[in-house]
Amino acid sequence: MNTEPRSVQQLINGEFTESNTTEWIDITNPATQEVIAKVPQSTPEEIEQAIKTATEAFQSWRVTPISKRARVFLKYQQLIRENMDELAALLTEEQGKTLADARGDVFRGLEVVEHASGIGNLQQGGYIENVASSVDMYTVQQPIGVCAGITPFNFPAMIPLWMFPMAIATGNTFILKPSEQNPIVTMRLVELALEAGIPKGVLNVVHGGKDTVDALCDHPDIKAISFVGSTAVGKHVYDRAGQAGKRVQCMMGAKNHAVIMPDANKEQSLNQLAGAAFGAAGQRCMALSVVVLVGESKQWVDEIVEKSAQLVVSAGKDDKDLGPLISKQAKARVERLIQAGIDEGATIKLDGRGCQVEGYEEGNFVGPTILDNVTTDMSCYTEEIFGPVLCIMYADTLEEAIKIINTNPNGNGTAIFTQSGAHAHKFQQDIDVGQVGINLPIPVPLPMFSFTGSRASKLGDLGPYGKQAVQFYTQTKTVISRWFDEDASEGVNTTISMK
Ligand code: NAD
């Protein structure tokens, strides 16, 4: 019997091919440690070939009629819907999140595909007639060429779908570099994209870690890079690709605070807090990992602990409340930060370390964990834990809570729970964070808008998907035209026209 794990293929010029590399990375099921596949570190020649292919395919794709491009995504959204259960199961097996949450991961990407199918209404320029006599001025939004996307492990369906549908719908060609920790569901989505009619060379996939990312950042034929991942890597990508003259958008790490005001609806707010702190085992960039209890809501700690303790940890396929962390290293890191919090003076109110799930003794499980009396100098606060750990802090006033949040370097997401319109308005106005929820824990924008971020959570001005992505993946060209009447000669004019 052949026990060798199957290898993940690359996509170059419309062909799914095996890499010639000697370097392979294991993909493990985080609930069992079973090696389910291996992914190659694509060779420099393979990366070069993918870029060459994408450069050639751009010549015909850029002039493919916009309705034809749109129709590919109309078909693609249908195929994703038809294959939703299979996609979710693949995602859960390699990533660990529950099946219900995996469906959500695919669904939020699917919404971007639906939006891309309306590209004809999005990629429009402007037109003004008679800016001078018989002179018209207009702009067109032209595709920029080969674009690349580098994606993280935590949303292996949604985040690739944030990128290549909008890039390709606007007439570009694309090189995708999925997370090397869980590229299988991403590859299935890529297969469906081809089935939907994306022509050969328009979408390509190469694999690997830093070497592949650096090669994409440096290559002169790649015009733009979209990155989603950790802050340190995002900064590296922004600097390196920026040095090479590219457009770059980097969506990065987070430390998302919830503010609970004493006038909040207690039951709803605490339910939402527990869901957003521990869902996906805290491995969402929008997870609420800190709660600031204001005034009388300071007395609600026991109820937060009680609700959190009831959440059930399981293998993702058993579909309870939260699954395992992505890797043994991630589990060790989360446990180290919990211990550091205790050593630095936090009170442990709920300890998820040593969490065991029957039948999955090898899984990377950490149960919901709550650290109380956390202060801004503790490493459990200064670092993004990216695990099921909620830090509790206190403030006497809303102003004080806002100050805590605005002083933290990250500005990805936040939420306030209050019944007061005045509090909500002040929070919305004064908070320096990209995504703001009001009585809503994970305020991820739908594709009619764009994802954003503030301060250390984002580099580059334009965000992924939505209208901003149309701007990011296109170049504005301005055309000024004049059509002479046959006998209307004005002679030579050497001045700037004032007409
Ligand atoms: P990561 O930064 O480790 O990896 C992201 C990508 O970068 C992967 O494709 C990886 O192969 C590559 N990479 C890793 N190390 C590299 C290096 N040294 N040089 C070049 N490339 C490298 O991130 P992750 O652990 O996969 O994802 C979790 C992080 O992503 C968290 O910080 C989370 O907050 C963030 N995230 C942010 C958003 C957002 O929209 N702001 C969304 C999802 C995740």
Side-chain angles (χ1 to χ4, degrees):
M1 198 177 101
N2 183 9
T3 52
E4 181 71 10
R6 72 184 175 89
S7 49
V8 176
Q9 297 193 310
Q10 312 172 107
L11 173 63
I12 300 173
N13 204 18
E15 303 286 332
F16 289 96
T17 55
E18 185 91 5
S19 172
N20 292 320
T21 191
T22 52
E23 276 180 67
W24 294 87
I25 305 157
D26 285 346
I27 302 162
T28 50
N29 178 330
T32 62
Q33 307 307 335
E34 179 200 354
V35 177
I36 45 184
K38 55 180 188 170
V39 61
Q41 166 56 63
S42 296
T43 65
E45 296 72 34
E46 288 159 351
I47 297 168
E48 185 63 39
Q49 187 57 34
I51 298 168
K52 185 166 174 278
T53 289
T55 308
E56 286 164 8
F58 179 62
Q59 293 316 319
S60 51
W61 186 245
R62 62 188 271 271
V63 291
T64 299
I66 196 161
S67 314
K68 205 169 168 188
R69 298 196 314 252
R71 256 175 243 128
V72 170
F73 293 96
L74 211 53
K75 173 79 179 159
Y76 190 30
Q77 64 81 28
Q78 180 197 342
L79 289 174
I80 294 174
R81 272 175 206 285
E82 287 170 5
N83 291 277
M84 175 66 88
D85 288 346
E86 182 208 344
L87 289 162
L90 288 173
L91 199 162
T92 290
E93 187 185 21
E94 61 177 341
Q95 205 278 348
K97 63 178 73 174
T98 62
L99 280 171
D101 206 31
R103 270 185 220 104
D105 190 329
V106 179
F107 184 78
R108 296 310 296 262
L110 168 64
E111 290 182 315
V112 180
V113 177
E114 290 171 344
H115 200 238
S117 72
I119 196 65
N121 290 320
L122 298 169
Q123 195 177 351
Q124 293 183 344
Y127 198 113
I128 299 182
E129 196 177 51
N130 290 323
V131 287
S133 300
S134 301
V135 176
D136 296 344
M137 187 182 285
Y138 54 97
T139 58
V140 287
Q141 298 300 130
Q142 294 191 323
I144 50 180
V146 183
C147 303
I150 300 157
T151 57
F153 81 85
N154 66 330
F155 281 96
M158 177 183 82
I159 292 178
L161 293 175
W162 276 7
M163 297 177 181
F164 73 80
M166 289 303 284
I168 291 175
T170 46
N172 300 282
T173 56
F174 205 82
I175 315 278
L176 179 65
K177 204 299 285 173
S179 170
E180 70 279 27
Q181 298 193 82
N182 45 24
I184 295 174
V185 68
T186 317
M187 290 312 290
R188 183 71 189 114
L189 282 164
V190 165
E191 281 172 15
L192 294 175
L194 260 55
E195 201 181 321
I198 290 185
K200 70 176 186 176
V202 170
L203 174 61
N204 302 272
V205 185
V206 291
H207 295 291
K210 180 171 168 50
D211 290 352
T212 311
V213 170
D214 288 352
L216 296 174
C217 289
D218 294 345
H219 202 288
D221 291 344
I222 293 181
K223 302 300 174 199
I225 300 236
S226 301
F227 170 88
V228 179
S230 63
T231 304
V233 178
K235 196 166 176 324
H236 164 78
V237 166
Y238 192 80
D239 291 345
R240 189 155 181 154
Q243 280 293 319
K246 301 186 198 327
R247 286 185 187 186
V248 198
Q249 54 176 201
C250 293
M251 313 307 294
M252 303 179 292
K255 196 80 182 175
N256 307 310
H257 300 63
V259 173
I260 300 194
M261 298 302 291
D263 59 26
N265 177 318
K266 184 159 84 172
E267 183 62 15
Q268 281 177 13
S269 306
L270 301 191
N271 283 341
Q272 296 202 18
L273 174 67
F278 303 120
Q283 298 175 116
R284 293 181 183 135
C285 69
M286 291 287 281
L288 287 178
S289 53
V290 183
V291 60
V292 185
L293 299 175
V294 178
E296 294 297 300
S297 74
K298 290 174 185 178
Q299 290 160 14
W300 299 352
V301 173
D302 288 347
E303 279 147 288
I304 296 174
V305 173
E306 203 180 302
K307 284 181 185 296
S308 310
Q310 285 166 13
L311 297 176
V312 180
V313 183
S314 73
K317 73 184 181 54
D318 293 337
D319 223 6
K320 299 290 193 303
D321 296 313
L322 56 145
L325 292 165
I326 184 69
S327 64
K328 277 182 184 292
Q329 292 85 334
K331 177 180 168 174
R333 186 176 168 277
V334 169
E335 291 188 339
R336 174 178 63 73
L337 284 165
I338 295 170
Q339 187 57 46
I342 299 166
D343 295 345
E344 291 165 25
T347 319
I348 187 133
K349 288 278 191 181
L350 185 63
D351 191 348
R353 291 173 296 174
C355 170
Q356 283 290 325
V357 176
E358 205 187 321
Y360 299 94
E361 284 69 22
E362 295 301 314
N364 310 319
F365 298 104
V366 176
T369 298
I370 297 182
L371 292 169
D372 195 5
N373 297 309
V374 169
T375 52
T376 54
D377 54 343
M378 294 178 185
S379 46
C380 62
Y381 182 78
T382 55
E383 289 195 38
E384 182 184 28
I385 301 179
F386 227 54
V389 182
L390 176 65
C391 296
I392 301 185
M393 300 174 78
Y394 299 95
D396 290 329
T397 60
L398 176 58
E399 286 73 14
E400 202 188 317
I402 291 173
K403 194 166 169 212
I404 292 171
I405 299 172
N406 286 350
T407 307
N408 186 288
N410 298 288
N412 201 44
T414 187
I416 185 169
F417 296 91
T418 179
Q419 300 277 52
S420 155
H423 287 152
H425 179 78
K426 180 171 179 54
F427 189 75
Q428 166 192 317
Q429 176 185 275
D430 292 348
I431 208 74
D432 185 4
V433 173
Q435 273 81 218
V436 180
I438 297 173
N439 297 315
L440 197 122
I442 305 191
V444 175
L446 268 74
M448 304 72 142
F449 297 89
S450 302
F451 200 85
T452 180
S454 182
R455 299 177 284 142
S457 294
K458 182 179 176 208
L459 284 168
D461 57 348
L462 295 168
Y465 69 83
K467 290 180 188 140
Q468 292 185 25
V470 176
Q471 293 291 320
F472 183 77
Y473 292 126
T474 60
Q475 173 68 44
T476 305
K477 184 180 277 179
T478 311
V479 182
I480 307 176
S481 71
R482 180 179 192 179
W483 295 96
F484 294 101
D485 287 339
E486 252 174 47
D487 51 356
S489 171
E490 293 171 356
V492 176
N493 183 356
T494 58
T495 60
I496 291 176
S497 172
M498 300 283 284
K499 283 192 257 181

